Amino acid sequence: MSEVAVSAEIDDALRARLAAHVRDVPNFPSPGVLFKDITPLLADARALRDCVDALAAPWRGAGLDAICGIEARGFIFGAALARALDVGFVPLRKAGKLPAATRGVEYLLEYGSARLEAHADALTSGARVLIVDDVLATGGTLAAGFELVQSLDAEVAGAAVVIELAFLAGRARWPADVPLQALLRY
Ligand code: AMP
């Protein structure tokens, strides 16, 4: 499956065009954090289309059954990707947001902890799932998504993010044998 990660490479011109629509916001939400703001990319029709197309490309014909998007910005890219790949969308939400019976996974943040939840009946047993988020930082969120999808008896086919903050080494928390696609790396 590692070929998927290789074929996810995008050309330099597209990478530069997408990167031009990511705004760096220093010291948000707390001092010392350089926030990668993807709202300019969402607002630009061509950048949004190119971004979703590039995320979808390696997964066409890959037999996915569902996209799981992580709250909140993973919902935006995940839902667009689900539409592009003609599969359903399942939200992985913060604690207490889903109305029916849930499964959840606790994970550590820099300060304190968080919990990611999905409806217990959201995925059929053995479903092949792609997990989607906007940014991979320390990797805790995506790792929690992986654990949660597995706890629902589904198979994690891979993950796709728009941005990887490679200097935070979040990829080390993702299983090495499962494709993790990032369009832009910093
Ligand atoms: P992590 O669990 O550290 O990989 O953090 C990933 C989650 O936090 C994602 O859902 C991102 O939306 C968000 N996030 C973390 N760091 C940043 C950042 N520098 N810029 C934008 N979003 C971030």
Side-chain angles (χ1 to χ4, degrees), residues 82-156:
R83 186 64 196 90
L85 293 170
D86 202 20
V87 296
F89 176 81
V90 171
L92 305 185
R93 299 214 61 177
K94 292 172 180 160
K97 302 283 188 183
L98 289 167
T102 60
R103 289 273 179 76
V105 167
E106 305 275 347
Y107 63 104
L108 291 178
L109 298 172
E110 193 176 356
Y111 301 104
S113 69
R115 183 176 168 86
L116 208 55
E117 295 180 341
H119 274 144
D121 62 356
L123 295 166
T124 51
S125 177
R128 274 173 58 76
V129 168
L130 177 68
I131 301 176
V132 177
D133 205 356
D134 65 334
V135 173
L136 170 67
T138 66
T141 307
L142 217 54
F146 183 92
E147 206 183 315
L148 180 54
V149 168
Q150 280 205 322
S151 80
L152 294 173
D153 209 20
E155 178 199 340
V156 180

Coordinates of all heavy atoms in Angstrom, one line a residue, residues 82-156:
A82 N -15.6 12.9 0.1 CA -16.6 11.8 0.0 C -17.4 12.0 -1.3 O -17.7 11.0 -2.0 CB -17.5 11.8 1.3
R83 N -17.8 13.2 -1.5 CA -18.6 13.5 -2.7 C -17.7 13.2 -4.0 O -18.3 12.6 -4.9 CB -19.0 15.0 -2.7 CG -19.9 15.3 -3.9 CD -21.2 14.6 -3.8 NE -22.0 14.6 -5.0 CZ -21.9 13.7 -6.0 NH1 -21.0 12.7 -5.9 NH2 -22.6 13.8 -7.1
A84 N -16.5 13.6 -4.0 CA -15.6 13.3 -5.1 C -15.4 11.9 -5.4 O -15.3 11.4 -6.5 CB -14.3 14.0 -4.9
L85 N -15.4 11.1 -4.3 CA -15.1 9.6 -4.5 C -16.4 8.8 -4.4 O -16.3 7.6 -4.5 CB -14.2 9.2 -3.4 CG -12.7 9.8 -3.4 CD1 -11.9 9.4 -2.2 CD2 -12.0 9.2 -4.7
D86 N -17.5 9.5 -4.3 CA -18.8 8.9 -4.3 C -19.0 7.8 -3.2 O -19.4 6.7 -3.5 CB -19.1 8.2 -5.7 CG -20.6 8.0 -6.0 OD1 -21.4 8.7 -5.3 OD2 -20.9 7.2 -6.8
V87 N -18.5 8.2 -2.0 CA -18.7 7.3 -0.8 C -19.4 8.2 0.2 O -19.5 9.4 0.1 CB -17.4 6.7 -0.3 CG1 -16.8 5.7 -1.4 CG2 -16.4 7.7 0.1
G88 N -19.8 7.5 1.3 CA -20.4 8.3 2.4 C -19.4 8.9 3.3 O -18.2 8.6 3.3
F89 N -19.9 9.8 4.2 CA -19.1 10.6 5.1 C -19.5 10.3 6.5 O -20.7 10.3 6.9 CB -19.3 12.1 4.8 CG -18.5 12.9 5.8 CD1 -17.2 13.1 5.7 CD2 -19.2 13.5 6.9 CE1 -16.5 13.9 6.6 CE2 -18.5 14.3 7.8 CZ -17.1 14.4 7.7
V90 N -18.6 10.0 7.4 CA -18.8 9.8 8.8 C -18.0 10.8 9.6 O -16.8 10.9 9.5 CB -18.4 8.3 9.2 CG1 -18.4 8.1 10.7 CG2 -19.3 7.3 8.5
P91 N -18.7 11.6 10.5 CA -18.0 12.6 11.3 C -17.4 11.9 12.6 O -18.1 11.2 13.3 CB -19.1 13.6 11.7 CG -20.3 12.8 11.6 CD -20.2 11.7 10.6
L92 N -16.1 12.2 12.8 CA -15.5 11.9 14.1 C -15.5 13.1 14.9 O -14.8 14.1 14.6 CB -14.0 11.4 13.9 CG -13.9 10.2 12.9 CD1 -12.4 9.7 12.9 CD2 -14.8 9.0 13.3
R93 N -16.3 13.1 16.0 CA -16.6 14.4 16.7 C -16.0 14.5 18.1 O -15.6 13.5 18.7 CB -18.1 14.5 16.8 CG -18.9 14.6 15.5 CD -20.1 15.5 15.5 NE -19.7 16.8 15.8 CZ -20.6 17.9 15.9 NH1 -21.9 17.6 15.7 NH2 -20.2 19.1 16.2
K94 N -15.9 15.7 18.5 CA -15.5 16.0 19.9 C -16.5 15.4 20.9 O -17.7 15.2 20.5 CB -15.2 17.5 20.1 CG -14.0 17.9 19.3 CD -13.8 19.4 19.2 CE -12.5 19.7 18.4 NZ -12.4 21.0 17.9
A95 N -16.1 15.3 22.1 CA -17.0 14.6 23.1 C -18.3 15.3 23.2 O -18.5 16.5 23.3 CB -16.3 14.6 24.4
G96 N -19.4 14.4 23.3 CA -20.7 14.9 23.7 C -21.5 15.5 22.6 O -22.6 16.1 22.8
K97 N -21.1 15.5 21.3 CA -21.8 16.1 20.3 C -22.7 15.2 19.5 O -23.7 15.7 18.9 CB -20.8 16.7 19.2 CG -19.8 17.7 19.8 CD -20.4 19.0 20.0 CE -19.3 20.0 20.4 NZ -20.0 21.4 20.6
L98 N -22.4 13.9 19.5 CA -23.3 13.0 18.7 C -24.5 12.5 19.5 O -24.3 12.2 20.7 CB -22.4 11.8 18.3 CG -21.4 12.2 17.2 CD1 -20.4 11.0 17.0 CD2 -22.1 12.5 15.8
P99 N -25.7 12.5 18.9 CA -26.9 12.2 19.6 C -27.1 10.8 20.0 O -27.8 10.5 21.0 CB -28.0 12.7 18.7 CG -27.4 12.6 17.3 CD -25.9 12.8 17.5
A100 N -26.7 9.8 19.2 CA -27.0 8.4 19.4 C -25.9 7.7 20.2 O -24.9 8.4 20.6 CB -27.3 7.7 18.1
A101 N -25.9 6.4 20.3 CA -24.9 5.7 21.1 C -23.5 5.9 20.4 O -23.4 5.8 19.2 CB -25.3 4.2 21.2
T102 N -22.5 6.1 21.2 CA -21.2 6.4 20.6 C -20.1 5.4 21.1 O -20.3 4.8 22.2 CB -20.7 7.8 20.9 OG1 -20.6 7.9 22.4 CG2 -21.6 8.9 20.4
R103 N -19.0 5.4 20.4 CA -17.7 4.8 20.9 C -16.8 6.0 20.9 O -16.9 6.9 20.1 CB -17.1 3.8 19.9 CG -17.9 2.5 19.8 CD -17.4 1.5 20.9 NE -18.1 0.3 20.8 CZ -17.9 -0.6 19.8 NH1 -17.0 -0.4 18.9 NH2 -18.6 -1.7 19.8
G104 N -15.8 6.0 21.8 CA -14.9 7.1 21.9 C -13.5 6.6 22.3 O -13.2 5.5 22.8
V105 N -12.5 7.5 22.0 CA -11.1 7.3 22.3 C -10.6 8.6 22.9 O -10.7 9.7 22.4 CB -10.3 7.0 21.0 CG1 -8.8 7.1 21.2 CG2 -10.7 5.7 20.4
E106 N -9.9 8.4 24.1 CA -9.3 9.5 24.8 C -7.9 9.7 24.2 O -7.2 8.7 23.9 CB -9.1 9.3 26.3 CG -10.4 8.9 27.0 CD -11.2 10.1 27.4 OE1 -10.6 11.2 27.4 OE2 -12.4 9.9 27.8
Y107 N -7.4 10.9 24.1 CA -6.1 11.2 23.6 C -5.5 12.4 24.3 O -6.2 13.3 24.7 CB -5.9 11.2 22.1 CG -6.7 12.3 21.4 CD1 -6.0 13.4 20.9 CD2 -8.0 12.3 21.2 CE1 -6.6 14.5 20.3 CE2 -8.7 13.3 20.6 CZ -8.0 14.4 20.1 OH -8.6 15.4 19.5
L108 N -4.2 12.4 24.4 CA -3.5 13.5 25.1 C -3.3 14.7 24.2 O -2.9 14.6 23.0 CB -2.2 13.0 25.6 CG -2.3 12.0 26.8 CD1 -0.9 11.6 27.2 CD2 -3.0 12.6 28.0
L109 N -3.5 15.9 24.7 CA -3.1 17.1 24.0 C -1.9 17.7 24.8 O -1.5 17.2 25.8 CB -4.3 18.2 24.1 CG -5.6 17.7 23.4 CD1 -6.7 18.7 23.7 CD2 -5.4 17.6 21.9
E110 N -1.4 18.8 24.3 CA -0.3 19.4 24.9 C -0.6 19.7 26.4 O 0.2 19.4 27.3 CB 0.1 20.7 24.2 CG 1.5 21.2 24.6 CD 1.9 22.5 23.8 OE1 1.1 22.9 22.9 OE2 2.9 23.0 24.1
Y111 N -1.8 20.3 26.6 CA -2.3 20.5 28.0 C -3.6 19.7 28.1 O -4.5 20.1 27.4 CB -2.4 22.0 28.3 CG -1.2 22.7 28.1 CD1 -1.0 23.5 27.0 CD2 -0.2 22.6 29.1 CE1 0.2 24.3 26.9 CE2 1.0 23.4 28.9 CZ 1.2 24.2 27.8 OH 2.4 24.8 27.7
G112 N -3.7 18.7 29.0 CA -4.9 18.0 29.2 C -5.2 16.9 28.2 O -4.2 16.5 27.5
S113 N -6.4 16.6 28.0 CA -6.8 15.5 27.1 C -8.1 15.8 26.4 O -8.8 16.8 26.7 CB -6.9 14.2 27.9 OG -8.1 14.2 28.7
A114 N -8.3 15.0 25.3 CA -9.5 15.2 24.6 C -10.1 13.9 24.2 O -9.5 12.8 24.5 CB -9.2 16.0 23.3
R115 N -11.3 13.9 23.7 CA -11.9 12.6 23.3 C -12.6 12.8 22.0 O -13.2 13.8 21.7 CB -13.0 12.3 24.4 CG -13.7 11.0 24.2 CD -14.7 10.8 25.4 NE -15.6 9.7 25.2 CZ -15.3 8.4 25.4 NH1 -14.2 8.1 25.9 NH2 -16.2 7.5 25.1
L116 N -12.4 11.8 21.1 CA -13.0 11.7 19.8 C -14.0 10.6 19.8 O -13.8 9.5 20.3 CB -11.8 11.4 18.8 CG -11.9 11.9 17.4 CD1 -12.1 13.4 17.3 CD2 -10.7 11.5 16.6
E117 N -15.2 11.0 19.2 CA -16.3 10.0 19.3 C -16.9 9.8 17.9 O -16.9 10.7 17.0 CB -17.4 10.5 20.2 CG -17.0 10.5 21.7 CD -18.0 11.0 22.6 OE1 -19.0 11.6 22.2 OE2 -17.9 10.7 23.8
A118 N -17.4 8.6 17.7 CA -18.2 8.3 16.5 C -19.5 7.5 16.9 O -19.5 6.9 18.0 CB -17.4 7.4 15.5
H119 N -20.5 7.6 16.1 CA -21.7 6.8 16.4 C -21.2 5.3 16.3 O -20.5 4.9 15.4 CB -22.8 7.0 15.4 CG -23.7 8.2 15.8 ND1 -24.2 9.1 14.8 CD2 -24.1 8.6 17.0 CE1 -24.9 10.0 15.5 NE2 -24.9 9.7 16.8
A120 N -21.7 4.5 17.3 CA -21.3 3.1 17.3 C -21.7 2.3 16.1 O -21.0 1.4 15.7 CB -22.0 2.5 18.6
D121 N -22.8 2.8 15.4 CA -23.2 2.1 14.2 C -22.8 2.8 12.9 O -23.4 2.5 11.8 CB -24.7 1.9 14.3 CG -25.5 3.2 14.3 OD1 -24.8 4.3 14.3 OD2 -26.7 3.2 14.2
A122 N -21.8 3.7 13.0 CA -21.5 4.5 11.8 C -20.9 3.8 10.7 O -21.0 4.2 9.5 CB -20.6 5.7 12.3
L123 N -20.1 2.7 11.0 CA -19.4 2.0 9.9 C -19.8 0.5 10.0 O -20.0 -0.1 11.1 CB -17.9 2.1 10.2 CG -17.3 3.5 10.0 CD1 -15.9 3.6 10.6 CD2 -17.3 4.0 8.5
T124 N -19.9 -0.1 8.8 CA -20.2 -1.5 8.8 C -18.9 -2.3 9.0 O -17.8 -1.8 8.7 CB -20.8 -1.9 7.4 OG1 -19.9 -1.4 6.4 CG2 -22.2 -1.4 7.2
S125 N -19.0 -3.4 9.6 CA -17.8 -4.2 9.9 C -17.0 -4.5 8.6 O -17.5 -4.9 7.6 CB -18.3 -5.6 10.5 OG -17.2 -6.4 10.8
G126 N -15.7 -4.2 8.7 CA -14.8 -4.5 7.6 C -14.8 -3.3 6.6 O -14.0 -3.4 5.6
A127 N -15.5 -2.3 6.8 CA -15.5 -1.2 5.8 C -14.1 -0.6 5.7 O -13.4 -0.5 6.7 CB -16.5 -0.1 6.3
R128 N -13.7 -0.2 4.5 CA -12.4 0.4 4.2 C -12.6 1.9 4.3 O -13.3 2.5 3.5 CB -11.9 0.0 2.8 CG -11.1 -1.3 2.8 CD -10.8 -1.7 1.4 NE -10.0 -0.8 0.7 CZ -8.7 -0.6 0.9 NH1 -8.0 -1.2 1.8 NH2 -8.0 0.3 0.1
V129 N -11.8 2.5 5.2 CA -12.1 3.9 5.6 C -10.8 4.8 5.3 O -9.7 4.3 5.6 CB -12.5 4.0 7.1 CG1 -12.4 5.4 7.6 CG2 -13.8 3.3 7.3
L130 N -11.1 6.0 4.8 CA -10.0 7.0 4.7 C -10.3 8.1 5.8 O -11.4 8.6 5.8 CB -10.0 7.6 3.3 CG -9.0 8.7 3.1 CD1 -7.5 8.2 3.2 CD2 -9.2 9.4 1.8
I131 N -9.3 8.4 6.6 CA -9.5 9.4 7.6 C -8.9 10.7 7.1 O -7.8 10.7 6.5 CB -8.8 9.0 9.0 CG1 -9.3 7.7 9.5 CG2 -8.9 10.1 10.0 CD1 -8.6 7.1 10.7
V132 N -9.7 11.8 7.3 CA -9.3 13.1 6.7 C -9.3 14.2 7.8 O -10.2 14.3 8.6 CB -10.3 13.5 5.6 CG1 -10.0 14.9 5.1 CG2 -10.3 12.4 4.5
D133 N -8.2 15.0 7.7 CA -8.1 16.2 8.6 C -7.4 17.3 7.8 O -6.8 17.0 6.7 CB -7.4 15.9 9.9 CG -7.9 16.9 11.0 OD1 -8.6 17.8 10.7 OD2 -7.4 16.7 12.1
D134 N -7.4 18.5 8.3 CA -6.7 19.6 7.6 C -5.2 19.6 7.9 O -4.4 19.7 6.9 CB -7.4 21.0 7.9 CG -7.2 21.4 9.3 OD1 -7.1 20.5 10.2 OD2 -7.2 22.6 9.6
V135 N -4.9 19.4 9.1 CA -3.5 19.6 9.5 C -3.1 18.4 10.4 O -3.8 18.0 11.3 CB -3.3 20.9 10.3 CG1 -1.9 21.0 10.9 CG2 -3.5 22.1 9.5
L136 N -1.9 17.8 10.1 CA -1.2 16.9 11.0 C -0.2 17.6 11.7 O 0.8 18.2 11.1 CB -0.6 15.7 10.1 CG 0.3 14.8 10.9 CD1 -0.4 14.0 11.9 CD2 1.1 13.9 9.9
A137 N -0.3 17.7 13.0 CA 0.7 18.4 13.9 C 1.4 17.4 14.7 O 2.3 16.7 14.1 CB 0.0 19.5 14.7
T138 N 1.1 17.2 15.9 CA 1.8 16.2 16.8 C 1.4 14.8 16.5 O 2.0 13.8 17.0 CB 1.7 16.5 18.3 OG1 0.3 16.3 18.6 CG2 2.1 17.9 18.6
G139 N 0.2 14.7 15.8 CA -0.2 13.3 15.4 C -1.2 12.7 16.3 O -1.7 11.6 16.0
G140 N -1.5 13.3 17.5 CA -2.4 12.6 18.5 C -3.8 12.5 18.0 O -4.4 11.5 18.2
T141 N -4.3 13.5 17.2 CA -5.6 13.5 16.8 C -5.8 12.4 15.7 O -6.8 11.6 15.8 CB -6.0 14.9 16.1 OG1 -5.7 15.9 17.1 CG2 -7.5 14.9 15.8
L142 N -4.9 12.3 14.8 CA -5.0 11.3 13.7 C -4.9 9.9 14.3 O -5.6 9.0 13.9 CB -4.0 11.6 12.6 CG -4.4 11.3 11.2 CD1 -5.7 12.1 10.8 CD2 -3.2 11.7 10.3
A143 N -4.0 9.8 15.3 CA -3.8 8.4 15.9 C -5.1 8.0 16.6 O -5.5 6.9 16.6 CB -2.6 8.5 16.9
A144 N -5.7 9.0 17.3 CA -7.0 8.7 17.9 C -8.1 8.3 16.9 O -8.9 7.4 17.2 CB -7.5 9.9 18.8
G145 N -8.1 9.0 15.8 CA -9.0 8.6 14.7 C -8.8 7.2 14.3 O -9.7 6.4 14.0
F146 N -7.5 6.8 14.1 CA -7.2 5.5 13.7 C -7.7 4.4 14.7 O -8.4 3.5 14.3 CB -5.6 5.3 13.6 CG -5.1 4.0 13.1 CD1 -4.9 3.8 11.8 CD2 -4.9 3.0 14.0 CE1 -4.5 2.5 11.3 CE2 -4.5 1.7 13.6 CZ -4.3 1.5 12.2
E147 N -7.5 4.7 16.0 CA -7.9 3.8 17.0 C -9.4 3.7 17.1 O -10.0 2.6 17.2 CB -7.4 4.3 18.4 CG -7.2 3.3 19.4 CD -6.8 3.9 20.7 OE1 -5.9 4.7 20.8 OE2 -7.4 3.5 21.8
L148 N -10.1 4.8 16.9 CA -11.5 4.9 16.9 C -12.1 4.0 15.8 O -13.1 3.3 16.0 CB -12.0 6.3 16.9 CG -13.5 6.5 17.0 CD1 -14.2 5.9 18.2 CD2 -13.8 8.1 17.0
V149 N -11.6 4.3 14.6 CA -12.2 3.5 13.4 C -11.9 2.0 13.6 O -12.8 1.2 13.3 CB -11.5 4.0 12.1 CG1 -11.8 3.1 10.9 CG2 -12.0 5.5 11.8
Q150 N -10.8 1.7 14.1 CA -10.5 0.2 14.3 C -11.4 -0.3 15.4 O -11.9 -1.5 15.3 CB -9.1 0.1 14.8 CG -8.1 0.1 13.6 CD -6.8 -0.7 14.0 OE1 -6.3 -0.6 15.1 NE2 -6.3 -1.4 13.0
S151 N -11.8 0.5 16.4 CA -12.6 0.0 17.5 C -14.1 -0.2 17.0 O -14.8 -0.9 17.6 CB -12.7 1.0 18.6 OG -13.5 2.1 18.4
L152 N -14.4 0.4 15.8 CA -15.7 0.2 15.2 C -15.6 -1.0 14.2 O -16.5 -1.2 13.4 CB -16.1 1.4 14.4 CG -16.4 2.6 15.3 CD1 -16.7 3.9 14.5 CD2 -17.6 2.3 16.2
D153 N -14.5 -1.8 14.3 CA -14.4 -3.0 13.5 C -14.2 -2.7 12.0 O -14.5 -3.5 11.1 CB -15.6 -3.9 13.7 CG -15.3 -5.3 13.5 OD1 -14.1 -5.7 13.6 OD2 -16.2 -6.1 13.3
A154 N -13.8 -1.5 11.7 CA -13.6 -1.1 10.3 C -12.0 -1.1 10.0 O -11.3 -1.2 10.9 CB -14.1 0.3 10.0
E155 N -11.7 -1.1 8.7 CA -10.3 -1.1 8.3 C -9.8 0.3 7.9 O -10.5 0.9 7.1 CB -10.1 -2.1 7.1 CG -8.7 -2.2 6.6 CD -8.6 -2.7 5.2 OE1 -9.6 -3.4 4.8 OE2 -7.6 -2.5 4.5
V156 N -8.8 0.8 8.5 CA -8.2 2.1 8.1 C -7.3 1.9 6.9 O -6.2 1.3 6.9 CB -7.4 2.7 9.2 CG1 -6.9 4.1 8.8 CG2 -8.3 2.9 10.5

